[in-house]
Amino acid sequence: MKYFPVFIDAQHINCLIVGAGEVAARKLELILKTPAKITVVSPWVSDTVAQLINEHNITLHHREFMDDDLKGQNLVFIATDKNDVNQHVHDLGHSQGILVNVVDNTPLCKFITPSIVDRSPIIIAMSSGGVAPVLLRYIRQKLESVLPSKISLLGRFSERFRDKVKSALGSVTDRRYFWEDVLDGDIGENVLQGNEEKAEQQLEESLEAYKAGNKPSGQVYLVGAGPGDPDLLTFRALRLMQKADVVVYDRLVSKDILELVRRDAEKIYVGKAKSNHTIPQNEINALLAKLALEGNRVVRLKGGDPFIFGRGGEEIETLIEQGVDFQVVPGITAASGAASYAGIPLTHRDHAQSVTFTTGHLRDNSIDLNWKALAQTHHTLVFYMGLTGLSIICRELIAHGLDGSTPIALVENATRSSQKVVTGTLDTIVDMPQTQDIKPPTLIIVGSVVQLHEQLNWFTPSEV
């Protein structure tokens, strides 16, 4: 971050605005939302600034800027149309350690004003570092549309009871659980609806229950993280990732998705790579139960979907045995993500009327599958974890009836900026030079639908 975001206590801030045109008026209107002490200096004053000065307690020096005007100031906005004045005030303020902002001149800004969504006391401030103001306004509009207009009521309600809850619940974790239950449940809803008296009564009752130890027990959420692109997460997955105390994740969960996990959550890696299972599955199952029984909200974050080659069923069986509550949050499975981002429809009226997901995972140097049932025309096959056994897959499909010219695609790192797609046929794919560069995680798609890749391919990866 080039600019470090902070919120300054404006009760003790002296703010100087140099200039009094319409540009200065925008900054003046912003600062007037705070209790800061404001001084304006300018030889000319626009009608907008004059009106604001008449309506508020603002000191005006109706003259040119003087160096002594900086004495006692903490924050300075420079908004004149004279470059030499702007530069002079900037240099002088900077030499005195004063925070200086030259409006619309980012290189001369020691701080920048963010785009603000104001639901006081809830304030959301955003910045693009001055490089994309239009994009920033677009994001702000989106936030304004999804945030409840009355969320400020929740902010003030929380403020009123903050000290009481803090004194009643000594543990930071207990307080966080309590407030999440308040804000997510009936209490928060009553506040938003204006039923504060009822909400207060409910909060008092809930707080007494927490003090007595009657608080929610730990729970496990099996969350599908999708194929890799964080934009493909479900809303529910993202919300639970933000609430988790512990996140247990595997190798297929992308770094970008992990960045969305709550910052202070504990993260435990249990990934499995080819021929290298860092933690056996039965130990993962036991770990999930143990963490939940300790009172944690546990997110088991899995690439793709938990119930499609994700061993979610095995983990749930252990949770049931241990009496642990759980929920399952579906995700976009890798086959769907890979096919969509490679421009390969899994079904198509002219090519395939059915699709099969199967594992290509090797056991004892063999892949134990019903090859006769798989080797069908007008059908699409998707192999998970099949890259190591690619030669066996091609050989067996040909041996059981598919023509060697049947199209096949390898999709590495599907939906990510590093996605690679290699296409060929069952006869040629193994020996193609491009295949040698493909690494796990890779899905294999077999069938005539692969022919559509060149025509329908819409996604352009950009390695970063």
Side-chain angles (χ1 to χ4, degrees):
M1 292 186 296
K2 182 179 179 181
Y3 294 94
F4 185 73
V6 295
F7 287 87
I8 300 172
D9 183 0
Q11 294 181 87
H12 308 291
I13 287 290
N14 293 324
C15 178
L16 174 67
I17 298 179
V18 182
E22 292 303 321
V23 174
R26 296 202 302 267
K27 300 303 179 184
L28 184 56
E29 288 171 340
L30 192 62
I31 296 297
L32 280 170
K33 294 184 177 183
T34 77
K37 184 178 179 181
I38 304 170
T39 300
V40 174
V41 56
S42 177
W44 173 83
V45 178
S46 69
D47 291 342
T48 305
V49 172
Q51 181 178 348
L52 292 172
I53 290 173
N54 289 333
E55 293 175 351
H56 300 275
N57 184 22
I58 299 171
T59 300
L60 171 65
H61 297 311
H62 207 161
R63 54 169 170 74
E64 296 284 355
F65 170 81
M66 299 172 59
D67 291 357
D68 284 349
D69 289 331
L70 289 180
K71 287 183 178 179
Q73 301 298 331
N74 311 109
L75 208 63
V76 178
F77 287 97
I78 307 170
T80 80
D81 57 1
K82 298 178 180 179
N83 292 334
D84 58 335
V85 173
N86 294 348
Q87 185 72 55
H88 173 71
V89 180
H90 164 270
D91 294 345
L92 188 62
H94 180 54
S95 68
Q96 297 180 24
I98 300 172
L99 289 173
V100 177
N101 176 289
V102 180
V103 180
D104 294 333
N105 191 340
T106 304
L108 292 184
C109 290
K110 296 301 176 284
F111 75 95
I112 53 178
T113 53
S115 180
I116 294 174
V117 178
D118 187 357
R119 299 286 193 277
S120 296
I122 306 303
I123 304 292
I124 300 174
M126 300 167 290
S127 170
S128 68
V131 301
V134 176
L135 175 60
L136 205 58
R137 285 197 295 272
Y138 173 79
I139 296 172
R140 176 186 170 187
Q141 289 168 3
K142 291 292 184 183
L143 284 174
E144 291 275 15
S145 67
V146 298
L147 280 177
S149 60
K150 295 183 180 179
I151 200 169
S152 58
L153 298 178
L154 280 177
R156 288 193 285 271
F157 184 83
S158 300
E159 180 183 22
R160 284 170 49 204
F161 288 94
R162 181 176 183 273
D163 290 341
K164 185 169 188 176
V165 171
K166 187 174 182 179
S167 63
L169 304 176
S171 163
V172 173
T173 300
D174 284 350
R175 292 199 295 272
R176 182 168 59 80
Y177 277 19
F178 175 80
W179 280 117
E180 286 177 350
D181 288 341
V182 166
L183 299 175
D184 282 343
D186 291 341
I187 300 175
E189 186 63 27
N190 277 320
V191 173
L192 290 174
Q193 296 300 321
N195 302 323
E196 290 209 16
E197 186 175 340
K198 183 176 182 180
E200 290 175 13
Q201 180 182 347
Q202 290 174 319
L203 185 140
E204 297 282 3
E205 293 172 354
S206 181
L207 187 56
E208 288 301 316
Y210 260 78
K211 288 168 61 177
N214 299 325
K215 55 188 178 184
S217 57
Q219 192 169 31
V220 175
Y221 304 95
L222 276 72
V223 175
D229 184 347
D231 285 346
L232 299 180
L233 282 170
T234 64
F235 288 126
R236 180 159 176 74
L238 182 59
R239 184 165 67 85
L240 293 175
M241 288 161 58
Q242 290 289 319
K243 292 176 64 173
D245 301 302
V246 184
V247 175
V248 180
Y249 67 100
D250 63 34
R251 183 177 64 93
L252 298 180
V253 177
S254 70
K255 181 181 178 180
D256 289 340
I257 288 176
L258 281 176
E259 282 292 320
L260 300 175
V261 170
R262 187 166 63 85
R263 293 293 178 191
D264 56 343
E266 180 183 0
K267 301 178 186 68
I268 301 175
Y269 174 68
V270 293
K272 298 178 177 66
K274 182 177 65 176
S275 304
N276 180 23
H277 289 200
T278 57
I279 300 180
Q281 184 61 48
N282 64 323
E283 293 186 21
I284 296 174
N285 302 347
L287 174 65
L288 295 176
K290 174 179 177 292
L291 291 169
L293 291 171
E294 290 173 351
N296 294 296
R297 288 173 175 160
V298 183
V299 163
R300 173 65 170 109
L301 198 57
K302 296 172 171 288
D305 181 275
F307 277 8
I308 300 181
F309 301 113
R311 299 190 177 180
E314 299 174 41
E315 293 171 354
I316 284 177
E317 289 173 344
T318 299
L319 297 177
I320 292 173
E321 290 172 2
Q322 297 291 323
V324 175
D325 288 338
F326 64 88
Q327 296 181 28
V328 180
V329 181
I332 295 176
T333 188
S336 180
S340 297
Y341 275 60
I344 302 174
L346 294 176
T347 61
H348 188 286
R349 286 192 297 174
D350 298 330
H351 294 272
Q353 288 74 53
S354 57
V355 59
T356 297
F357 297 166
T358 187
T359 178
H361 182 61
L362 290 169
R363 177 174 291 181
D364 300 328
N365 295 319
S366 65
I367 306 175
D368 186 17
L369 297 173
N370 185 347
W371 294 107
K372 184 177 181 180
L374 294 176
Q376 304 294 322
T377 58
H378 305 294
H379 183 76
T380 303
L381 294 173
V382 181
F383 289 87
Y384 287 67
M385 302 167 288
L387 188 60
T388 300
L390 178 61
S391 60
I392 298 174
I393 290 171
C394 293
R395 183 192 71 205
E396 293 296 325
L397 289 175
I398 293 173
H400 287 82
L402 283 186
D403 195 283
S405 63
T406 301
I408 181 173
L410 311 179
V411 186
E412 175 188 333
N413 283 330
T415 77
R416 307 185 194 191
S417 61
S418 56
Q419 175 178 295
K420 295 180 183 177
V421 181
V422 174
T423 61
T425 68
L426 293 178
D427 276 335
T428 65
I429 192 71
V430 173
D431 296 324
M432 290 174 60
Q434 303 95 311
T435 300
Q436 312 314 310
D437 296 328
I438 296 295
K439 302 291 187 296
T442 293
L443 264 77
I444 302 171
I445 304 175
V446 180
S448 65
V449 290
V450 173
Q451 299 175 49
L452 300 172
H453 165 68
E454 292 297 330
Q455 176 187 353
L456 304 182
N457 186 29
W458 60 271
F459 178 61
T460 303
S462 56
E463 187 90 43
V464 291

